[in-house]
Amino acid sequence: MPRQRGKAAIDRGRTRAIAAGLTALATFAIATPAAAQSTGGTSPGAPPSAAPRLSAPPPGVVVRPAPQLRTWRCVRECADAQTAATGALVRIRGRRLGRVYEVVFLGSESADDDVAAAPLRRKKHVVDVRVPLGAVGGPLLVADRDGLQSGPSATALAVQAPVALKVAGAAPTVEVQAQARRAFYDAARPAKVSYVVHGESPSTVVVELLRAKDSAVVARWDVGEVAPDTPQSVVWDGSAGTRVAATGRYVFRVSAVNPSGQRAVSAQAPQQAEPDPAAFQFLTHEFPIRGPHVYGTGSASFGGGRGHQGHDVFAACGTPLTAARGGVVQFKQYHSRAGHYIVIDGQRTGVDYAYMHLRQAALVKAGDRVRTGQLLGYVGDTGSASGCHLHFEMWTAPGWYDGGRPFDPLPSMVAWDKTS
Ligand SMILES: [Zn+2]
């Protein structure tokens, strides 16, 4: 089945709508098409992908620009200013860095080798970060929690192979790194952990995924024998037994036992001063508008005194619209009132999600399997719409105009907006 894939940035959930809250006067960040689409995997100076021009933002918004990365250099445990191994300290200078959520080590053109690390320290003009395990040579960028990101750095980091210390008879040691700070259920890029076991001989490895709040083990991989100093990875599909795991913080734990019975376990110190590289946030949905937006009120609300079956969220025409939850496209149609719309049967939810007034026909078609965060189209005002907005509906099983009933999507949207 052909699958329309979103732009890399959108697949990867980098460019996110900001939390507008319920007030009409939200702080707004204008994601220009270039900012919204430029991303990890992009080499410095690469032209931005084509995207529709944005209309003027809705009234009542305050524009907040993206962080800027000006320069960076390796300052501790470095081979030289641009060359370092895992664990070295990199200092980034720029503007508006106070809200930086992650530093992305972009590696090569492909997004698959991107690794994002939490800053150790951040101030208005400076961010410190350690080179994460699994980072490969390439430029860096910084992104804030809302997905506003700098362009890629002009200079590329050269990653050195770490020097493995071999001490005879020593117990193995384990290094662990979650590939991203956030992972969305059913996204094109699932949660992934990279790890390396250091030691003299192969070790038997078990990887577990723990729910941070109570350390309950929600998934486990009996990896078997693993060669020393060889990078490994495990991917988690978001399942906890037969169900989808709840939104929240999770931690990968890697245990290794060598033939002498000596054991090493990662992630033993959640109270450590530095951000835990094995931890990440898991989210069951991603907020679908990737840019500045404001929630409608009154008649734009669910019900709205007029039998309004969804909630309207206003954003500039041309703002990328992505799947809040992956699933299968049930309908892609045009209607005189709804305009261009699309209905997606949410993966493992029973809920149908409807997106209306798209600027033009959706980029996916009926029957397509779409992923959480996948680009569906752009905010528009087709059909009967006063102002560019997304009309969003959620319907209970068995589905949209198929025996289900609509319910107020606002609490869900607000929750997704806060976390994604
Ligand atoms: Zn509406």
Side-chain angles (χ1 to χ4, degrees):
M1 190 182 306
R3 188 200 296 166
Q4 178 80 40
R5 301 211 26 176
K7 297 282 186 287
I10 288 166
D11 274 349
R12 287 153 51 226
R14 285 287 163 62
T15 306
R16 275 174 276 269
I18 66 157
L22 285 166
T23 61
L25 254 174
T27 302
F28 257 67
I30 283 300
T32 63
Q37 309 279 337
S38 81
T39 171
T42 307
S43 59
S49 320
R53 288 184 75 82
L54 292 175
S55 70
V61 304
V62 178
V63 174
R64 184 165 56 74
Q68 243 182 44
L69 187 161
R70 285 201 166 143
T71 60
W72 65 268
R73 66 189 179 90
C74 187
V75 294
R76 206 177 302 157
E77 297 166 49
C78 320
D80 63 46
Q82 267 87 43
T83 310
T86 301
L89 190 72
V90 165
R91 179 156 297 156
I92 292 165
R93 293 188 186 278
R95 298 173 64 193
R96 297 182 293 272
L97 302 180
R99 298 180 77 253
V100 164
Y101 174 71
E102 60 188 6
V103 178
V104 185
F105 292 74
L106 294 167
S108 64
E109 287 281 331
S110 154
D112 293 335
D113 63 5
D114 293 8
V115 185
L120 297 185
R121 179 174 84 107
R122 57 181 186 188
K123 289 186 171 173
K124 203 170 169 188
H125 299 294
V126 61
V127 162
D128 285 350
V129 65
R130 288 200 191 286
V131 176
L133 181 71
V136 295
L140 320 180
L141 66 73
V142 292
D144 70 17
R145 201 177 170 79
D146 306 320
L148 283 175
Q149 56 185 217
S150 70
S153 61
T155 49
L157 170 76
V159 177
Q160 251 186 348
V163 181
L165 290 172
K166 300 282 185 192
V167 181
T173 59
V174 183
E175 281 184 86
V176 182
Q177 175 76 46
Q179 195 177 17
R181 297 200 66 200
R182 280 184 287 206
F184 294 90
Y185 177 70
D186 202 37
R189 288 217 322 170
K192 181 177 171 184
V193 64
S194 300
Y195 65 92
V196 173
V197 180
H198 302 292
E200 290 182 288
S201 48
S203 296
T204 303
V205 169
V206 173
V207 178
E208 292 165 302
L209 183 72
L210 279 61
R211 191 165 58 201
K213 67 175 180 185
D214 58 3
S215 295
V217 175
V218 299
R220 175 187 163 101
W221 297 262
D222 287 294
V223 178
E225 198 167 89
V226 163
D229 306 319
T230 310
Q232 309 284 333
S233 63
V234 162
V235 165
W236 177 52
D237 71 357
S239 294
T242 56
R243 305 169 66 170
V244 175
T247 285
R249 189 175 153 85
Y250 292 81
V251 185
F252 284 109
R253 181 167 70 188
V254 179
S255 315
V257 181
N258 72 11
S260 327
Q262 289 172 306
R263 184 178 164 83
V265 182
S266 70
Q268 290 265 285
Q271 302 304 322
Q272 63 196 352
E274 296 192 4
D276 185 349
F280 65 100
Q281 201 70 27
F282 175 71
L283 303 153
T284 59
H285 293 77
E286 185 162 21
F287 189 74
I289 300 174
R290 299 301 173 81
H293 56 272
V294 65
Y295 293 89
T297 54
S299 64
S301 305
F302 183 75
R306 57 179 176 120
H308 190 224
Q309 302 197 95
H311 196 103
D312 296 338
V313 185
F314 292 81
C317 272
T319 304
L321 209 50
T322 57
R325 175 81 164 217
V328 175
V329 179
Q330 300 292 301
F331 301 98
K332 172 201 180 174
Q333 280 165 5
Y334 185 88
H335 181 273
S336 59
R337 280 170 44 211
H340 288 292
Y341 72 92
I342 183 170
V343 180
I344 295 174
D345 178 15
Q347 188 73 359
R348 293 171 77 182
T349 60
V351 173
D352 279 359
Y353 303 76
Y355 307 76
M356 298 183 180
H357 309 308
L358 271 61
R359 184 184 163 115
Q360 61 263 110
L363 301 171
V364 292
K365 60 183 192 312
D368 280 0
R369 173 76 167 91
V370 299
R371 294 291 182 167
T372 304
Q374 182 174 334
L375 184 66
L376 301 176
Y378 300 91
V379 172
D381 58 358
T382 56
S384 171
S386 51
C388 303
H389 72 277
L390 168 66
H391 168 103
F392 186 71
E393 296 182 4
M394 291 172 73
W395 287 61
T396 58
W400 190 77
Y401 288 106
D402 188 26
R405 57 173 178 77
F407 60 94
D408 185 359
L410 185 63
S412 303
M413 296 186 96
V414 170
W416 307 335
D417 204 352
K418 278 185 183 144
T419 52
S420 56

